[in-house]
Amino acid sequence: MSLFCAYGTLHGNSFYFSAYSSWASILIFVLEALLSLYIVTLGIKHQRPLVVGLVLAQFIAITYLEFFSGHHLEAKYNFFIDQFSAIMALIIGIIGTLICVFAIGYMQDFKHHHEEQPDRRPFFFFLLFVFLSAMFGIVFSNNLVWLYFFWEVTTACSFLLIGYTRTEEATRNAFRAIEVNLIGGLCFVIALGILIYSTGTIEINKLLTISKAAAIIPVALLSIAGLTKSAQLPVCDWLLGAMVAPTPVSALLHSSTMVKAGVYLVLRFASVLQGTLMGSTIAMIGAVTFLFTSLIAITENNAKRLLAYSTIANLGLVILCAGIGSAQAVWAGILLIIFHALAKGLLFLCVGTVEHRKHSREIEMMEGLITSMPGLATFMLIGMAGMFLAPFGMLISKWAVLKALVDVNPLLSVIVAFGGAANLFFWVKWMGKLLLAITPPVGQEKDVSREEFVSLGILAVLTVLICALFPLISSCYIEPYLYSLYDKSVSMSNGNIIIMLIMLGLILLFPLISINFDRSTKYVAPYLGGANTDTPGTFKDSLGNNRPFAMKNYLLDEFFAEKKLYPIGVGLTWILLIIMFVLLFIK
Amino acid sequence: MNIFLILIAYIILTPLTGGLLTGLDRIITARMQSRIGPPLLQPFYDVAKLFSKENLVVRKAQNLFIIFHLLFLIVTGALFFCGGDFLLVVFAFALAGVFFILGGYRTSSPYSHIGSERELIQMMAYEPMLIITAIGLYMTTHSFNVFDIMSAGKPLLPQLLGIFLGFLFILPIKMRKSPFDLSMSHHAHQELVKGITTEFSGPTLALLEIAHWFELILILGIIILFFPNNVWLGLAVECAVFFLVILVDNTFARLRWQTVLKASWLATFILGMGNIFILSILKICHS
């Protein structure tokens, strides 16, 4: 289906669908009521007054708006597809499908590892599919009330999937996630209310055309909802807690798609935020998040937490682009979404697969993966290269981000420069860990199921392929979209694209590594100050005993400790949020 | 000028000049230490000799990483001297560096491993300054393109003094000089085991040496960018800088990595970011 939509938008501009019917609105309202009821019951069962309160507040507000406010909440067009939606749909469709295929194999393994728990796999897959449909709903909705409904459905799915294992930790983290997202949802409802009373429209396309002054307040509130959904500082801890969920959930909801819904919403309204003080404040929140989470990630040894921090950082970069809101920035932001979804999805799935073989999420345990699990290690290396190295995707977008910032706000680009250096550090460190092999290999890859391997392989190929195809995506989708918003378009110059492609071609020569090209090389043991022994991985100590040696990565704890930096980041972003609220009240 | 001519000249001249400069460096260093020193062409003799040696490896793949390191350094330099996008030059430079570091990791030897970790820390230390240099050049010339910057027709140094000083600060890292020669010392004057290159020998070590020449020329090329209207002044400053770095190399001992990271980020923050801050204020005042 997403392919079909993508093909449609390739030629035309945007399509709007009225899809009008009162029964659809009523159906959505009934579903919303049932959903609220379900969450309230769960909230009461686990004694979470905050959750119950938030759900009730939202429900009462939305009921009032829909039935008693005296305004007609009818939208002319409830659904639409434009190039941006089509890109999002492609991401959700392709990556979502691959992750679901992967989950089939993975959940079988997961069951073996968690024998004590009842088998709730049908429920798991049901949630995944409900979630995917809701995501399609979000990107295709033109009616903000409908978008709000789909938004809440994804929140609920995320909540239930985080709590899937039903351990105490999982339940606690699930409630933390839903609390934060419900606060975002509440902002969404308030935005709807203001929108209805001040402008009388609930359609995205109309909101984009009315005057900036009228649109800025609801857009700012919607952006706060977006910030909570994409786990920006100061509320990013829910995403870290969400890592207790099974890996396909982390890959699908918490890196590739659901958190992208938040940045999608903010990026949608980027043209409203452009050049406003509100936009600059939002951009600052993104920049601070990018810098601090990148630095903290250096000290992280837990693979999934590191990936979570890096996800938050990259979402921060997209928020930064959206806050700037110029055509160049939006171009960079959309590309970031595409590249990040692919590479990060791939990395999460790889880490999950390795975790089942090694029984650990520690990065230090992944030593020598290149010899013990060559396939998985190769996929991981591709994913990591895709995250930070030229000529791969994320670097193309980082180039564009810097270019966009330097015209508008050069000081922010300095923040990006520092954050980028931190990114470089922790990714290379991890790559090195995979490549390092002291002892002879033990094959551990045989029992990886076919579903897992195939979906990982496709994701890896796509990660590389997308770098070659990005000029095409840019000219067919992003540029027309920008043209419709800004009456001008941006891209990378042809010369730079050619240079990128040449570099990509050179990098692709790297698999030559497996060819035995020079037979004259001679193998020797590593230098150990003359204390080598016959057993690899050991040396002779001063008493003549064989003693194993080990190599560990630097974590730079004394500089970037989570305990030290996290509160500073939270403090800074709270100040920025307060500035946002002050701006809201002044207006 | 024809781009292919520049490319050919670049590929031939760079190793020649790089090698000669390294030879000169060794003579000056020797004189500073009251020695006579090797002949000027010694680096070329060294490389020729290394190529005739046996290729010893711990892990086979380690050599391929070094080949790619050299390859991407050549690409980076070509991009720079043929007038590419300076930001892309910085990114390609990082890519080349990453290959070197990964090669060090792949050897799976404890000494190389420490060297790789330190090289990585150094990279994190200088990377922001390079990007800030690009941003500063853009703010004064409105282009990232190297040729556009060179045809700016006005001296950039007065506006970019802070960035220039910040760039000088990180220069010893890339030139592998004290006090910032953590991962491997170029002249091995203060270490027992040769850091990240411990396990590289023979032809591969020769490639690393050539790679260093390319690196050196690229860095010196970046300094010229600050003097677009007067290349001769640029070259004179370059000689002074080259001498200064050697002098510092011979008067300072190696610092701890903590100090290196702290000092270079602080310098980047104060000199680089301060400069950019002043530039943006000037820009606002003008408009």
Side-chain angles (χ1 to χ4, degrees), chain A residues 435 437 516 518 524 527 553, chain B residues 57 59-60 106 117 138 199:
Chain A
L435 290 171
N516 201 359
D518 181 6
V524 290
Y527 177 79
N553 277 335
Chain B
V57 295
R59 300 275 181 269
K60 184 127 197 172
R106 183 68 188 117
E117 296 272 327
Y138 181 91
E199 304 295 347

Side-chain angles (χ1 to χ4, degrees), chain A residues 152-172:
Chain A
E152 292 303 286
V153 172
T154 59
T155 300
C157 284
S158 157
F159 163 69
L160 292 170
L161 284 167
I162 296 171
Y164 175 72
T165 53
R166 288 193 169 159
T167 57
E168 200 183 320
E169 191 193 7
T171 316
R172 197 177 56 237

Side-chain angles (χ1 to χ4, degrees), chain A residues 20-33:
Chain A
Y20 172 75
S21 48
S22 52
W23 63 263
S25 289
I26 291 170
L27 180 69
I28 279 186
F29 182 77
V30 170
L31 285 174
E32 220 164 77

